[in-house]
């Protein structure tokens, strides 16, 4: 097994690409040729709360990551909400309306109980409990059904360590390192870990992600293949790594501590506003008393303005949403602004050519 230890996912991604470049073997897959590690890989994040990848080569959509994380915590499995952020998400749906492998639905509804509520209650009552395993794999369906959406991640284990912090270990049968392991997975599982920790009332520990089939599709790998060369200081040459977290250029706004019911109500309100297109007339979260929810809302609202307007208004309106000095250095706000500015620059370049 190969081991990657990193402060955060922004630092882990270049290490992952370097690992595959050194040990990867090219193989075919049902979705095209991949470079795969001959052995499983375990990635441990020391600070899972730092969950934004800022490398422009990756060009991750921050609004999708924010929405999907909240969507999972709410236990949803509808397709429509996610299609606002990724239009062709329907390719994973068997019925055109739902996602059979939706993690959040399995966390909170699919197996006849709210697993998260049980885990929170158990760890609140016994911090030494070692039996709190969150199930995602459904052998009755996933093992025998040929469907479009089969869970890649199988179980998550929660334990409060000797230091009093909540550690989480996720086991994955197969993971694409660009879109999955160091993309969506690094975000929504870290958000899950923070949610459980806040409900229990403890701090976050480490997040370890163990992937059995660790791979990257050759066509997507090409766009980020030079990242290791840009960050060689991680391994040999003492050049500084460009990490906005380490350099204090961005800050994290933590999820508030509270009861599970209180956090669930906040999450439902954020999703409801996004689903309704911010037409409800609600003022939304308060900037000063609800900073976490406020930042999440700004990211989702900026994406709404970008999605529902034509250029150039889509850029002026969406960037105006983020023009709030009090949160200008929050990680998700910075990432969303950069994502929009990259698209605005491409649009302006096309206008000049035309």
């Amino acid at each position: 097994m190969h081991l990657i230890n990193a402060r955060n996912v922004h630092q882990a991604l270049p290490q992952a690409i370097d690992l595959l470049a050194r040990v990867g073997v090219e193989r075919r897959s049902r979705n095209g040729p991949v470079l795969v590690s001959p052995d499983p890989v375990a990635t441990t994040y020391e600070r899972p709360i730092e969950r934004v990848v800022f490398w422009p080569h990756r060009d991750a959509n921050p609004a999708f990551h924010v929405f999907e994380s909240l969507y999972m915590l709410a236990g949803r499995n509808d397709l429509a909400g996610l299609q606002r952020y990724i239009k062709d998400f329907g390719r994973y749906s068997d019925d055109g309306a739902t996602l059979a492998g939706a993690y959040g639905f399995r966390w909170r509804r699919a197996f006849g109980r709210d697993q998260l509520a049980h885990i929170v209650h158990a760890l609140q009552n016994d911090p030494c409990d070692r039996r709190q395993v969150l199930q995602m794999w459904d052998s009755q369906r996933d093992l025998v059904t040929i469907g479009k959406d089969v869970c890649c991640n199988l179980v998550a284990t929660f334990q409060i360590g000797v230091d009093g912090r909540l550690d989480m270990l996720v086991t994955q049968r197969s993971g694409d390192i660009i879109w999955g392991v160091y993309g969506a997975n690094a975000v929504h599982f870290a958000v899950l870990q923070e949610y459980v920790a806040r409900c229990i009332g403890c701090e976050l520990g480490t997040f370890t992600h163990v992937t059995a089939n660790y791979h990257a599709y050759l066509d997507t790998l090409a766009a980020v293949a030079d990242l290791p060369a840009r960050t060689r200081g991680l391994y040999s040459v003492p050049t500084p790594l460009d990490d906005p977290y380490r350099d204090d250029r961005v800050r994290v706004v933590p999820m508030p501590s509270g009861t599970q019911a209180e956090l669930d109500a906040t999450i439902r309100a954020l999703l409801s506003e996004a689903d309704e297109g911010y037409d409800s007339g609600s003022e939304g979260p308060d900037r000063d008393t609800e900073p976490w929810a406020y930042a999440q809302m700004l990211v989702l609202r900026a994406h709404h303005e970008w999605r529902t307007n034509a250029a150039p208004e889509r850029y002026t309106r969406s960037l105006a949403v983020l023009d709030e000095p009090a949160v200008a250095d929050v990680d998700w706000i910075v990432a969303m602004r950069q994502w929009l500015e990259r698209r605005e620059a491409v649009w302006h370049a096309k206008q000049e050519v035309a």
Side-chain angles (χ1 to χ4, degrees):
M1 178 178 288
H2 299 282
L3 305 177
I4 292 177
N5 292 287
R7 168 172 168 156
N8 53 46
V9 65
H10 181 81
Q11 292 191 12
L13 179 58
Q15 295 187 55
I17 296 167
D18 180 72
L19 174 64
L20 272 189
R22 289 186 286 108
V23 307
V25 178
E26 189 170 338
R27 297 190 70 181
R28 61 178 178 81
S29 79
R30 60 187 175 84
N31 291 321
V34 297
L35 199 62
V36 60
S37 169
D39 305 297
V41 177
T43 304
T44 295
Y45 303 104
E46 298 171 4
R47 302 188 187 187
I49 200 168
E50 298 176 351
R51 54 185 69 114
V52 179
V53 172
F54 288 97
W55 302 113
H57 317 62
R58 174 59 180 84
D59 195 35
N61 182 342
F64 169 68
H65 284 166
V66 167
F67 181 86
E68 186 186 38
S69 298
L70 300 175
Y71 164 102
M72 288 182 179
L73 290 177
R76 289 172 53 167
N77 69 344
D78 60 282
L79 177 62
L82 296 174
Q83 284 185 309
R84 290 198 299 271
Y85 305 91
I86 299 180
K87 291 180 180 179
D88 62 347
F89 218 97
R91 68 186 186 276
Y92 299 116
S93 175
D94 294 315
D95 61 8
T98 61
L99 295 165
Y103 291 136
F105 186 78
R106 296 193 180 195
W107 296 346
R108 312 208 67 168
R109 301 182 186 182
F111 300 114
R113 69 169 66 235
D114 183 345
Q115 296 186 79
L116 296 188
H118 178 90
I119 290 169
V120 167
H121 179 75
L123 290 174
Q124 283 175 329
N125 284 277
D126 182 5
C128 296
D129 195 320
R130 298 172 297 181
R131 300 180 177 182
Q132 298 315 305
V133 178
L134 177 66
Q135 184 73 26
M136 286 165 274
W137 182 260
D138 180 359
S139 62
Q140 295 297 313
R141 178 195 180 276
D142 299 330
L143 197 60
V144 298
T145 302
I146 300 176
K148 295 180 180 179
D149 188 24
V150 177
C151 284
C152 294
N153 292 278
L154 313 177
V155 296
T157 303
F158 297 88
Q159 294 188 17
I160 297 178
V162 295
D163 58 1
R165 301 188 304 163
L166 181 70
D167 296 323
M168 181 181 68
L169 186 148
V170 175
T171 305
Q172 184 178 40
R173 63 173 179 82
S174 178
D176 166 23
I177 71 168
I178 307 300
W179 300 107
V181 180
Y182 306 103
N185 296 161
V187 178
H188 54 234
F189 281 115
V191 172
L192 167 66
Q193 181 186 12
E194 185 181 16
Y195 170 88
V196 174
R198 300 305 180 221
C199 290
I200 295 170
C202 67
E203 294 302 313
L204 273 74
T206 60
F207 162 25
T208 298
H209 200 180
V210 180
T211 306
N213 187 289
Y214 184 90
H215 62 266
Y217 292 96
L218 296 184
D219 56 350
T220 56
L221 185 61
V224 294
D226 68 336
L227 270 184
R230 293 169 177 263
T231 61
R232 193 62 64 183
L234 280 172
Y235 321 111
S236 54
V237 181
T239 53
L241 171 69
D242 182 17
D243 180 0
Y245 288 113
R246 188 204 60 189
D247 301 336
D248 294 326
R249 283 180 280 138
V250 298
R251 63 184 173 94
V252 174
V253 176
M255 189 182 294
S257 295
T259 67
Q260 188 168 20
E262 290 169 341
L263 283 177
D264 284 348
T266 298
I267 290 166
R268 284 196 301 270
L270 287 168
L271 291 172
S272 177
E273 286 294 303
D275 289 338
E276 295 173 11
Y278 301 95
D279 293 329
S280 68
S282 170
E283 294 183 359
D286 182 77
R287 183 192 65 188
D288 299 320
T289 62
E290 303 172 279
W292 174 79
Y294 184 71
Q296 306 285 294
M297 180 272 292
L298 289 184
V299 170
L300 297 178
R301 187 159 192 166
H303 185 274
H304 171 76
E305 295 294 344
W306 176 82
R307 185 177 65 86
T308 58
N309 289 282
E313 287 78 13
R314 69 186 320 180
Y315 301 112
T316 55
R317 293 173 68 96
S318 58
L319 288 168
V321 170
L322 303 176
D323 187 18
E324 174 58 72
V327 294
D329 61 343
V330 171
D331 51 2
W332 286 111
I333 301 295
V334 172
M336 189 67 199
R337 185 185 306 114
Q338 292 174 349
W339 188 84
L340 290 167
E341 288 173 346
R342 286 194 292 271
R343 278 148 184 78
E344 183 180 31
V346 170
W347 180 79
H348 280 300
K350 290 181 177 179
Q351 304 312 301
E352 293 175 3
V353 172

